[in-house]
Amino acid sequence: MDRRKFIRNSSLGSAGLLSGSSLLSCEGETTKAAVAAESGGPIAVCTWDFANATARAWEVLNQNGSVLDAVEQGVMVEEADPENQTVGYGGRPDRDGVVSLDACIMDSEGRCGSVMALEGIVHPVSVARKVMEDTPHVILAGAGAQQFALESGFKLKDLLTEKSKNQWLEWQKTSRYNPIINIENHDTIGMLARDKNGNLAGACTTSGMAYKMRGRVGDSPVIGAGLYIDNEVGGATATGVGEEVVRTVGSFLIVELMRQGMSPQKACEEGVARIIAKNNGKLDFQIGFLALNKKGETGAFCIHPGFSYRKYDTQGHRNIPSESYLKS
Ligand code: ASP
């Protein structure tokens, strides 16, 4: 059940590091939060329970690092961890056995960078940052992204660990190509942070859906889908089946809903509800959003197959009683 864990921080009243302390229920499952925050001050939140990542971001924020450094270095913890098979080194490969990574980053000025289907580089988020800072472009993909990374001083590394390779070999024996329902084999770290001055940044990085088609790119490196920051309003990031998030331009939607006055929590629920509505109420995939507003308030919401969505109508999902719904 680990991979169904998601976060929503409750109140962040006390000062200090709260990694792993807040609780939420995602379809009734109690989860650990990956939150680092100080009341009215800096905050770093990320999808799932990657508490080491928020702890690192928190360290950077408290050493007067920039909020951009904080999100980059935060997610790098997971990119480097071979035990995390959904991000970076050790990530599960595509169906041809190649680990192919997607990442993006966005700062408080609205600048952004992204790499798609990048192979052989442990830290795609840092390459995305280089794209943002050192080129006139926003996105580099595939072989070109790798060439740029090498020219920028990144080193090539075989990202396929024995563990991931063996699982892939096993999958080949038993599986047919149907990643849509494969909910346990994809996850992403999306991180949002705010510094003590209220400036926001975000980063998102993933090895994408396990055993995906070669060349498949999800939402995670797509600005507006997997991540969006608007320093006037807030930021959002997504995890789950990327195709669904791209179709809805999910993270941009969440930020725009916050701009219209919704709380981060409400906005995440509404974003999920839109996706359900677009699928006529059919739910055979996992989706989650995480949001942070300018004031430092957070919200998150996720669903997965088996989730009871009967409270949604197929039209406008306007009647969702979010609080009772969360508890049901
Ligand atoms: N959103 C990612 C993708 O579709 C995977 C995930 O978050 O689970 O590539």
Side-chain angles (χ1 to χ4, degrees):
M1 299 303 269
D2 272 6
R3 289 300 165 207
R4 291 181 182 169
K5 289 178 177 174
F6 199 66
I7 74 158
R8 167 194 170 212
N9 75 314
S10 47
S11 68
L12 294 170
S14 57
L17 184 65
L18 293 178
S19 291
S21 63
S22 292
L23 298 175
L24 113 134
S25 132
C26 171
E27 175 63 334
E29 293 171 31
T30 301
T31 71
K32 278 192 266 173
V35 179
E38 189 174 80
S39 186
I43 178 167
V45 287
C46 73
T47 53
W48 310 107
D49 54 350
F50 300 128
N52 293 338
T54 42
R56 177 67 196 129
W58 179 252
E59 228 169 60
V60 174
L61 287 169
N62 280 292
Q63 288 160 1
N64 284 327
S66 72
V67 66
L68 192 65
D69 290 337
V71 293
E72 180 190 7
Q73 291 185 35
V75 302
M76 282 171 73
V77 170
E78 296 305 320
E79 288 182 336
D81 180 359
E83 288 308 309
N84 183 339
Q85 292 181 282
T86 61
V87 178
Y89 176 53
R92 292 191 182 87
D94 63 21
R95 67 176 175 175
D96 293 350
V98 180
V99 179
S100 136
L101 305 176
D102 296 334
C104 72
I105 193 160
M106 192 158 186
D107 74 5
S108 52
E109 308 283 305
R111 297 185 314 156
C112 48
S114 157
V115 287
M116 299 181 175
L118 175 62
E119 296 171 11
I121 305 289
V122 176
H123 291 300
V125 72
S126 302
V127 184
R129 181 168 176 175
K130 284 259 174 219
V131 172
M132 174 176 98
E133 291 179 337
D134 297 353
T135 81
H137 307 302
V138 168
I139 304 169
L140 289 178
Q146 191 191 68
Q147 182 184 327
F148 169 72
L150 297 178
E151 285 166 6
S152 303
F154 291 86
K155 299 282 175 255
L156 266 187
K157 183 172 172 110
D158 182 359
L159 302 181
L160 188 63
T161 54
E162 274 308 298
K163 184 174 173 184
S164 287
K165 185 177 174 184
N166 290 336
Q167 288 177 359
W168 167 66
L169 291 171
E170 203 51 40
W171 173 82
Q172 279 188 316
K173 285 188 217 156
T174 55
S175 218
R176 65 196 169 95
Y177 185 63
N178 193 358
I180 300 300
I181 58 164
N182 186 3
I183 66 154
E184 295 299 333
N185 279 335
H186 57 89
D187 272 346
T188 293
I189 179 164
M191 181 177 284
L192 306 168
R194 172 189 183 274
D195 67 17
K196 61 180 187 310
N197 301 318
N199 289 318
L200 307 170
C204 188
T205 179
T206 189
S207 50
M209 196 176 272
Y211 320 131
K212 60 196 175 187
M213 283 177 75
R214 188 142 170 77
R216 179 265 186 190
V217 171
D219 60 313
S220 307
V222 180
I223 299 294
L227 176 75
Y228 195 69
I229 299 289
D230 184 323
N231 208 44
E232 282 181 13
V233 178
T237 188
T239 180
V241 175
E243 284 74 4
E244 296 298 333
V245 179
V246 169
R247 262 201 276 274
T248 321
V249 200
S251 293
F252 182 74
L253 170 65
I254 306 294
V255 171
E256 288 306 301
L257 291 170
M258 291 194 289
R259 188 193 305 280
Q260 289 164 24
M262 278 191 199
S263 67
Q265 182 61 34
K266 251 304 193 213
C268 289
E269 290 170 25
E270 176 70 13
V272 167
R274 292 249 182 129
I275 290 176
I276 294 175
K278 272 197 200 307
N279 284 277
N280 294 322
K282 188 160 167 264
L283 179 58
D284 57 2
F285 50 82
Q286 180 191 66
I287 286 289
F289 288 110
L290 170 69
L292 170 69
N293 71 11
K294 188 76 181 157
K295 289 187 271 184
E297 296 164 343
T298 62
F301 194 61
C302 79
I303 49 158
H304 57 78
F307 182 80
S308 163
Y309 54 88
R310 63 186 176 280
K311 288 171 186 154
Y312 293 89
D313 62 38
T314 56
Q315 300 295 313
H317 46 261
R318 301 287 172 209
N319 57 352
I320 302 166
S322 61
E323 279 313 309
S324 55
Y325 171 68
L326 275 172
K327 287 179 198 126
S328 69

